[in-house]
Amino acid sequence: MEKGERQSGGSARLTLAYVTDAGLFRPSLISAYSALLHAAEPLRLLFVGVGLSPAMEAAVSRLGARFSEHRVEVFAMPQDWLREATSPKSFITPTALGRMFLPRITGGRVLYVDGDTMVAGDLASLADLDLRGRQIAGVRDFAVMRWRALRAEEKLARQAALLGGSASLDDYINSGVLLMECDAIRAEPALQAAMEDMKAAQGYPTVDQDRINVVFSGRITLLDPAWNCSWGRLARQRRDMAGLPVAGAVPSPRILHFHGPNKPWQRLRISTLRKGGLQVLRYRRLMAACERDIPEIRDL
């Protein structure tokens, strides 16, 4: 695939996309492995890489060979696209803003997934989900919904001020899992330009998340939290957003998201286990299985 070239999804009804640099490559590959393990129909898997080594690209090819019924591709993102991208968080690199360029890279329906995730079920139903004419879909953010449930007015007011009144906190989504209609986004050049404006994204404490909520205010379909489940805490997420409408409800988590600075592949901490000890152990079993099938990733 050539740099800057737009690609269609081919015969697959859903493209699963990861955007990663060397630092998050290994967990991104493990997450992709989990998605393909659970896939009930062929997926197109797109790895958008920023500065990936030949060994990393070879590991993606090995993943494609392991799951040959799927279409696995690598796209090398031009470095200048992220020239003005910045991140105020030490554990999130500016590469996170690379997801903003997915409509430039590819068409069709795309499910973007962060690398610090584990897919726990089939994703195919998202290919048929009615987005009601909106360009993206996502799950309400765990932290903001916690503040709402606990009536943490000061935190909510601070978050609302960051958005400048352009988005409702009841509809504020986490950017770790995003379902995008890339053709519909490209059909509005001003919307795509706003999405890709790296200078306008500077200064937001969540790197890309606040900017996405501002740009797509009024254009978001809200998904059931099972599609972006915070450390397996699905029941709590549903309690916190009780009374708010969701689309695509499923009974159990489909994507587990290990957001925050501590990750399940790192040295175990009490604080990590408290967030979701069972899910951390599930992740580590998955990691071991992936390493058996794709041993090259042990050294990456």
Side-chain angles (χ1 to χ4, degrees):
M1 191 189 303
E2 297 300 320
K3 290 182 178 179
E5 181 183 358
R6 289 176 181 168
Q7 297 288 314
S8 71
S11 60
R13 298 191 305 139
L14 182 68
T15 294
L16 176 63
Y18 292 84
V19 179
T20 184
D21 53 22
L24 204 61
F25 173 79
R26 188 167 175 269
S28 295
L29 193 78
I30 292 168
S31 177
Y33 176 89
S34 68
L36 298 183
L37 275 178
H38 287 96
E41 64 178 62
L43 288 172
R44 176 178 175 240
L45 176 62
L46 177 61
F47 261 85
V48 178
V50 179
L52 298 187
S53 69
M56 291 172 182
E57 294 190 2
V60 176
S61 295
R62 180 68 175 263
L63 179 71
R66 165 64 177 81
F67 295 97
S68 57
E69 66 273 31
H70 304 282
R71 179 180 165 193
V72 179
E73 303 172 7
V74 177
F75 176 86
M77 179 175 285
Q79 298 279 356
D80 64 314
W81 289 11
L82 294 174
R83 185 177 59 253
E84 295 181 305
T86 61
S87 171
K89 292 184 180 287
S90 60
F91 63 95
I92 302 177
T93 70
T95 300
L97 283 152
R99 76 197 75 185
M100 301 294 213
F101 294 94
L102 283 170
R104 187 195 293 200
I105 296 168
T106 189
R109 180 165 285 195
V110 175
L111 179 65
Y112 165 82
V113 180
D114 271 356
D116 56 348
T117 56
M118 175 174 68
V119 177
D122 180 44
L123 305 174
S125 62
L126 291 179
D128 300 315
L129 186 67
D130 182 4
L131 297 193
R132 304 163 191 169
R134 293 165 181 160
Q135 289 92 341
I136 68 168
V139 173
R140 293 178 176 91
D141 185 69
F142 178 83
V144 171
M145 288 294 102
R146 277 268 80 198
W147 300 340
R148 178 182 179 271
L150 297 172
R151 303 190 183 205
E153 300 299 338
E154 186 177 330
K155 290 180 177 179
L156 290 169
R158 190 160 55 243
Q159 183 64 44
L162 279 172
L163 303 181
S166 62
S168 165
L169 291 187
D170 280 356
D171 297 338
Y172 180 89
I173 60 170
N174 180 277
S175 63
V177 177
L178 295 172
L179 188 62
M180 300 183 186
E181 292 284 21
C182 288
D183 293 338
I185 293 171
R186 285 209 307 258
E188 295 190 42
L191 177 63
Q192 185 179 355
M195 194 177 181
E196 296 182 358
D197 189 342
M198 295 293 99
K199 225 172 197 182
Q202 292 175 1
Y204 287 112
T206 58
V207 190
D208 64 293
Q209 187 166 286
D210 288 328
R211 180 63 180 165
I212 285 171
N213 279 277
V214 169
V215 170
F216 286 94
S217 178
R219 300 168 179 264
I220 302 171
T221 293
L222 285 306
L223 297 177
D224 184 87
W227 295 104
N228 186 350
C229 186
S230 170
W231 291 78
R233 299 174 289 190
L234 183 56
R236 180 182 293 181
Q237 282 180 274
R238 285 181 170 156
R239 285 196 304 270
D240 286 350
M241 62 180 70
L244 296 175
V246 297
V250 288
S252 58
R254 293 294 172 91
I255 301 175
L256 297 160
H257 189 185
F258 302 103
H259 54 86
N262 299 325
K263 305 299 183 184
W265 59 85
Q266 297 170 340
R267 183 173 61 86
L268 290 180
R269 302 167 182 264
I270 292 175
S271 59
T272 303
L273 292 172
R274 280 177 179 163
K275 276 186 179 179
L278 179 60
Q279 307 310 328
V280 169
L281 295 176
R282 284 182 65 192
Y283 182 91
R284 292 170 85 91
R285 285 197 296 269
L286 168 71
M287 182 169 62
C290 185
E291 288 176 348
R292 286 193 298 271
D293 277 355
I294 310 173
E296 294 91 338
I297 71 167
R298 292 174 185 160
D299 299 321
L300 295 177

